Amino acid sequence: MTELLQKVRVIDPVSKIDELFDVLIADGYIQEVASHITDISPDASIRDCRGLVIGPGLVDLYSHSGEPGFEERETLLSLLQSATAGGFTRISILPDTSPAIDNPALVAQLQKRRGETRGQGDKGIRGQGDKGTGGQGDNFSPLSSPLPLLHIWGAITLDVAGKQMTELADLASAGVVGFSDGEPLENLALVRRVLEYVQPLGKPVAFWPSDRQLSANGVMREGVDALRFGLPPIPASAETSAIAALLELVAAIGTPVHIMRVSTSRSVELIASAKAAGLPITASTTWMHLLLDTKAIKSYNTSLHLDPPLGNSSDVAALRAGVRAGVIDAIAIDHTPYSYEEKVQAFAEAPPGAIGLELALPLLWQYLVETEEFTALELWRALSTSPAECLGQKVSAILPHQPAELTLFDPQQIWKVERKSLYTLSQNTPWLGQQIKGHVVQTWC
């Protein structure tokens, strides 16, 4: 199939381009990028893309799958469909399933399940016109988009329990994208041993630094708002002390690591200093930590109960500046689905986490790019090329003869976040029932 996208805004962090072009796509490859393309085949599909944005397909560093074990929260198919609807062409799932992804057999089982979704899932992804509530999206007929590539994080410890190390070499041979428990590893002797073992394997290793003794039973960031709302606080030092310890081990051993879920201003300072000293680290924060601070918890919406918790306003400002400067390399989605029954509890009792694959790009664009706090290139880089680099992968430039791994996005389409407009099986988001601006039109991968 040949498609000509006319007058589309091309955002390419690889080539550092943000300009209007015509883009010709055929047989899975970009054939031509030019100001005006006229030489096309008679059967080519021509689309007027004025007002639309195209960029490299988005890459999610880490999210959670309900399958296996919690299929009522999310199946592998619904997760992949949700990722496609949000513009993602690659997604990486954490190993905290039931059973945990701590052995090659389960890796192979999930890879087989991904193969089984081909065909049954791809035809189910609707285009922008299918869900539109008015505006430019209604000019499009329903389109089909392929499901994203699935990458799997192998567990560092058996049953992600933080005690006994898995057979890392066997997991590497099974094709995991890297190693992570997605949970805090507080045994520093074990962390040191892991860093020594993974060094020759050539796979990323990701840690979530958090001192659970300091966190205790806290559910929101320590500060004035925690006192005002009467919720148990978590001090910033629960994160920063754990980051400092991890950085010391990295300095001693030299193994590259990725630091997950950065949420405090002091953490950004520690990471900036470590990078300036030449330590081989990358870091990510999650999309919600860039948009909301502790004041939002006034509503006691349990979808705002996150771990790590939302930061104070100074944390949010530091995280945004860190992403723009590249100190924080990537924005992760950390999509964490829970059923309605699990989340309908008191704030402190509800499990932490929120969905985000279908919401992150529209809301980040609306509140960071349209306000001109971020450039479009800065946001797109943090959602595509940079997370890929954290995984040891590359993203192709939007140039002729390169693979068409792309996301087409309408920043202006308004739609309502509700059950019928989401592909995820869960609805644990503070934006449920609200209208938001921006919607993915199509992906190629």
Side-chain angles (χ1 to χ4, degrees):
M1 180 180 179
T2 301
E3 300 169 87
L4 175 61
L5 311 181
Q6 293 183 320
K7 298 295 178 283
V8 65
R9 181 181 175 186
V10 175
I11 298 174
D12 183 5
V14 180
S15 304
K16 296 181 173 57
I17 289 173
D18 182 356
E19 296 181 40
L20 286 180
F21 286 109
D22 287 1
V23 179
L24 185 65
I25 302 170
D27 302 322
Y29 282 85
I30 299 167
Q31 299 297 325
E32 189 176 354
V33 179
S35 298
H36 189 54
I37 298 175
T38 55
D39 186 12
I40 59 172
S41 61
D43 60 343
S45 169
I46 301 175
R47 189 185 308 174
D48 181 354
C49 290
R50 284 174 292 185
L52 304 187
V53 168
I54 196 166
L58 306 186
V59 178
D60 184 29
L61 265 176
Y62 43 87
S63 278
H64 302 263
S65 173
E67 183 181 350
F70 301 98
E71 285 82 0
E72 70 279 3
R73 298 174 183 169
E74 198 82 278
T75 65
L76 194 60
L77 177 59
S78 69
L79 178 76
L80 293 169
Q81 289 178 328
S82 180
T84 295
F88 291 88
T89 55
R90 306 180 200 180
I91 182 173
S92 304
I93 59 170
L94 290 167
D96 60 340
T97 50
S98 182
I101 308 172
D102 59 6
N103 63 83
L106 194 50
V107 175
Q109 178 185 325
L110 286 168
Q111 291 168 336
K112 180 183 177 184
R113 278 287 296 122
R114 171 60 184 95
E116 292 169 354
T117 64
R118 298 184 194 282
Q120 64 168 304
D122 295 17
K123 66 185 179 183
I125 295 296
R126 300 185 291 256
Q128 184 179 17
D130 208 45
K131 294 186 184 181
T133 57
Q136 188 168 356
D138 292 335
N139 295 326
F140 294 96
S141 60
L143 300 168
S144 177
S145 293
L147 297 179
L149 298 173
L150 175 68
H151 298 295
I152 300 166
W153 287 98
I156 293 174
T157 65
L158 291 175
D159 203 31
V160 296
K163 295 179 180 179
Q164 184 179 348
M165 195 162 59
T166 57
E167 295 293 339
L168 300 174
D170 291 349
L171 285 168
S173 298
V176 297
V177 73
F179 307 102
S180 179
D181 271 6
E183 295 289 338
L185 263 183
E186 296 188 70
N187 184 336
L188 291 179
L190 178 58
V191 173
R192 180 186 172 92
R193 197 158 81 249
V194 168
L195 293 179
E196 292 170 341
Y197 270 79
V198 301
Q199 204 166 54
L201 299 178
K203 297 275 188 179
V205 58
F207 294 99
W208 173 22
S210 178
D211 187 317
R212 289 310 199 193
Q213 290 183 317
L214 286 172
S215 297
N217 65 339
V219 295
M220 74 172 289
R221 177 68 65 230
E222 186 177 67
V224 173
D225 289 328
L227 290 171
R228 183 178 295 128
F229 304 149
L231 293 170
I234 297 176
S237 57
E239 176 173 295
T240 57
S241 61
I243 288 179
L246 178 60
L247 292 175
E248 286 296 316
L249 291 178
V250 173
I253 298 169
T255 303
V257 304
H258 180 78
I259 300 174
M260 306 167 63
R261 301 184 177 125
V262 177
S263 70
T264 76
S265 58
R266 177 59 181 153
S267 299
V268 177
E269 293 175 1
L270 290 170
I271 292 165
S273 296
K275 285 189 171 187
L279 266 62
I281 59 171
T282 55
S284 59
T285 187
T286 83
W287 71 285
M288 284 183 66
H289 286 86
L290 292 171
L291 292 181
L292 301 172
D293 62 23
T294 52
K295 289 180 177 57
I297 297 173
K298 181 180 181 180
S299 67
Y300 294 96
N301 186 323
T302 56
S303 294
L304 295 169
H305 180 190
L306 307 178
D307 198 4
L310 292 172
N312 297 310
S313 58
S314 58
D315 296 318
V316 175
L319 290 169
R320 290 181 179 184
V323 171
R324 291 195 64 197
V327 173
I328 305 299
D329 299 85
I331 301 171
I333 307 308
D334 206 8
H335 177 89
T336 308
Y338 281 106
S339 67
Y340 174 81
E341 291 76 15
E342 288 173 302
K343 275 290 192 178
V344 181
Q345 302 187 55
F347 188 91
E349 302 302 320
I355 60 171
L357 286 167
E358 296 170 67
L359 306 173
L361 177 58
L363 288 164
L364 289 168
W365 187 282
Q366 182 178 346
Y367 290 105
L368 298 182
V369 176
E370 292 205 346
T371 59
E372 299 185 349
E373 185 168 349
F374 276 50
T375 67
L377 275 171
E378 287 169 341
L379 177 62
W380 215 278
R381 169 182 56 79
L383 286 169
S384 61
T385 55
S386 289
E389 290 166 2
C390 292
L391 293 170
Q393 302 170 356
K394 291 186 177 180
V395 169
S396 299
I398 303 179
L399 293 171
H401 315 302
Q402 295 296 318
E405 185 179 351
L406 303 165
T407 294
L408 185 64
F409 175 63
D410 182 350
Q412 301 305 317
Q413 187 191 354
I414 295 172
W415 60 288
K416 188 175 183 179
V417 181
E418 53 189 342
R419 177 69 199 97
K420 65 182 180 181
S421 65
L422 295 170
Y423 288 95
T424 175
L425 301 184
S426 297
Q427 291 91 55
N428 52 308
T429 171
W431 283 278
L432 189 67
Q434 297 183 29
Q435 285 194 330
I436 66 174
K437 187 164 69 168
H439 205 285
V440 170
V441 179
Q442 186 178 355
T443 63
W444 295 260
C445 62

